[in-house]
Amino acid sequence: MEFNLNKMIRTHLAGVKSYQTLRDSYIDKQAVYLDANESPFGEFNRYPDGDPIQLKKKLAEINLAKTENLFLGNGSDELIDLTMRIFCEPAEDSILIMNPSFVMYEIYAKMNNVKVEKLELNSDFELEKDKFLDTISTSQAKVLFLCSPNNPTGNSIDDLEFYIQNFNGIVVVDEAYIEFSPEDSAVKLLNKYPNLIVLKTLSKAFGMAGLRIGVGFASVEISSLFIKLKPPYNISSESQRLALEQLNQVEEIENNIAFILEEKEKLKKGLKQIKEIVKIYPSDANFFLIEFKDAQLIYQKLLEKSVLTSLRHPSLKNCLRISVGTAEENSELLKVLSEIN
Ligand code: PMP
């Protein structure tokens, strides 16, 4: 499919200049900094690196990507928002999302006055190719959001390449949970598809939700657009420093992922004993989507014991999404659930 990036970008953005700063060229140099109205005093007095090159290099290395294909957001949430602001004209354009999927696609679309078209997943929470082809034959959607493994269902989407190949617009593959999954990352498809954006995050498997770092991968042309149009210093200096420090201890992160996956299997065994549970859906992520006889009741009972779970998705009746915690947290969950039993 012929892809023309220039036709995708909102037309007025061609004339928008980004915030100009000298800092990125002087970041490691001794200089007299009188250009940014900072205080000359204090531990955090200087603005951070606007395009954190050291962090990007490390992330590129970990993800087998090139630094020039990478852009960072204040969480991948910010990159979802920016995607709409770059490609979708308010009150005119639409996005296409899977249903159910991550709720922020729709929330950001509403905030940006962008229309939302939905592709209903089947009873196994899979996309159906015929339905997809049928929908896109009449759809004008500019951006397709695919989430794999999908939040809140937990499953990976089969044959992602088919959808990337057949969609005449930008395709965002949100891989927030990919490190927990046996599937390959779509980052390796970047050379093949100029319409592809892959989103990852340090909030899940990397254990750095508090640092708010989202990672985008795309062609150099798309990456440059995000870097130009993002807020000037969107990753704080402490987040940059701490993330780099932790990413240098990749072994510890890998051990934590392995531990979470072991706990996930144990938790699943425990959950299978709970009579109030109707179904535990297959999951490639660090959470389970679980159907209960009465999810609202279970949710309340868990809350009474200060066990927080998620009952948020409107199209998933009687389902809770429950994260895998530490061995102690999982035992606490099972204990409360068996008491309800
Ligand atoms: N995508 C998906 C599928 C998510 O589940 C989340 C967080 N719940 C995000 C993106 C946003 O992650 P963050 O902003 O923390 O990077």
Side-chain angles (χ1 to χ4, degrees):
M1 199 161 288
E2 194 62 40
F3 175 75
N4 185 339
L5 179 63
N6 290 329
K7 283 199 179 145
M8 290 290 141
I9 305 165
R10 289 169 69 197
T11 44
H12 76 284
L13 289 177
V16 174
K17 281 217 165 73
S18 62
Y19 181 71
Q20 298 295 313
T21 164
L22 282 166
R23 286 308 167 83
D24 290 354
S25 339
Y26 281 83
I27 205 82
D28 288 326
K29 296 187 184 135
Q30 278 295 331
V32 180
Y33 292 124
L34 301 178
D35 60 323
N37 301 344
E38 300 144 325
S39 164
F41 308 114
E43 197 182 343
F44 304 110
N45 62 330
R46 299 298 173 198
Y47 282 108
D49 189 347
D51 187 29
I53 194 67
Q54 294 310 326
L55 181 56
K56 282 172 68 172
K57 273 188 185 156
K58 189 74 205 171
L59 286 164
E61 183 192 311
I62 291 172
N63 288 285
L64 308 177
K66 294 200 185 107
T67 316
E68 59 265 33
N69 295 112
L70 229 128
F71 49 98
L72 302 181
N74 194 274
S76 48
D77 273 341
E78 184 175 62
L79 299 176
I80 294 167
D81 184 31
L82 269 173
T83 303
M84 294 187 209
R85 288 166 50 199
I86 293 173
F87 298 109
C88 299
E89 202 54 47
E92 210 173 282
D93 287 332
S94 56
I95 59 163
L96 184 58
I97 62 174
M98 317 189 304
N99 190 45
S101 193
F102 182 41
V103 288
M104 288 311 291
Y105 309 139
E106 191 163 2
I107 292 174
Y108 278 126
K110 286 193 173 143
M111 283 164 60
N112 287 304
N113 196 14
V114 166
K115 289 174 266 184
V116 177
E117 297 175 42
K118 291 185 183 177
L119 277 166
E120 297 300 325
L121 300 179
N122 68 18
S123 55
D124 294 325
F125 300 130
E126 264 299 336
L127 273 171
E128 283 182 353
K129 290 182 177 167
D130 288 351
K131 206 177 200 174
F132 169 76
L133 292 176
D134 210 38
T135 304
I136 61 167
S137 67
T138 53
S139 163
Q140 298 293 317
K142 275 288 218 28
V143 184
L144 165 65
F145 282 90
L146 300 173
C147 187
S148 185
N150 187 25
N151 178 8
T153 60
N155 61 307
S156 300
I157 301 301
D158 205 31
D159 198 4
L160 281 175
E161 206 168 339
F162 174 85
Y163 305 97
I164 303 166
Q165 207 165 48
N166 283 291
F167 187 72
N168 191 17
I170 300 285
V171 180
V172 175
V173 177
D174 184 341
E175 296 189 335
Y177 301 94
I178 191 80
E179 294 83 7
F180 296 112
S181 134
E183 301 295 324
D184 272 354
S185 165
V187 165
K188 71 174 198 310
L189 300 176
L190 282 178
N191 284 338
K192 215 164 154 189
Y193 299 106
N195 61 334
L196 175 62
I197 297 175
V198 181
L199 297 184
K200 297 200 186 198
T201 178
L202 299 192
S203 299
K204 310 295 179 185
F206 288 92
M208 301 182 219
L211 301 186
R212 306 302 296 128
I213 298 178
V215 194
F217 302 83
S219 67
V220 173
E221 291 75 16
I222 293 180
S223 296
S224 313
L225 261 178
F226 274 82
I227 292 166
K228 177 179 146 186
L229 296 166
K230 71 176 180 57
Y233 306 107
N234 59 338
I235 314 290
S236 79
S237 45
E238 279 302 272
S239 288
Q240 294 184 28
R241 186 180 68 75
L242 292 167
L244 200 53
E245 206 175 279
Q246 299 214 15
L247 290 174
N248 280 326
Q249 286 154 22
V250 132
E251 217 171 281
E252 196 178 320
I253 295 168
E254 282 167 358
N255 288 343
N256 287 343
I257 295 172
F259 179 79
I260 292 168
L261 292 177
E262 268 172 40
E263 279 305 315
K264 182 180 159 190
E265 286 315 304
K266 286 189 210 155
L267 177 61
K268 192 173 180 181
K269 278 198 189 121
L271 288 168
K272 281 185 174 160
Q273 309 304 316
I274 305 293
K275 293 210 175 56
E276 290 299 310
I277 290 179
V278 177
K279 183 166 183 176
I280 305 165
Y281 285 94
S283 165
D284 279 345
N286 64 332
F287 58 82
F288 286 111
L289 181 75
I290 304 170
E291 187 184 339
F292 288 86
K293 289 179 190 158
D294 184 346
Q296 182 69 46
L297 176 86
I298 302 292
Y299 178 75
Q300 281 307 333
K301 293 271 185 202
L302 287 168
L303 258 190
E304 281 164 25
K305 303 280 182 183
S306 298
V307 178
L308 279 61
T309 59
S310 175
L311 174 75
R312 276 182 298 190
H313 213 284
S315 60
L316 290 167
K317 214 168 155 280
N318 267 334
C319 285
L320 296 186
R321 194 198 62 200
I322 303 185
S323 316
V324 180
T326 60
E328 295 73 26
E329 289 169 328
N330 301 333
S331 302
E332 178 65 16
L333 168 76
L334 290 171
K335 182 171 158 271
V336 180
L337 284 176
S338 58
E339 281 164 10
I340 303 168
N341 247 357

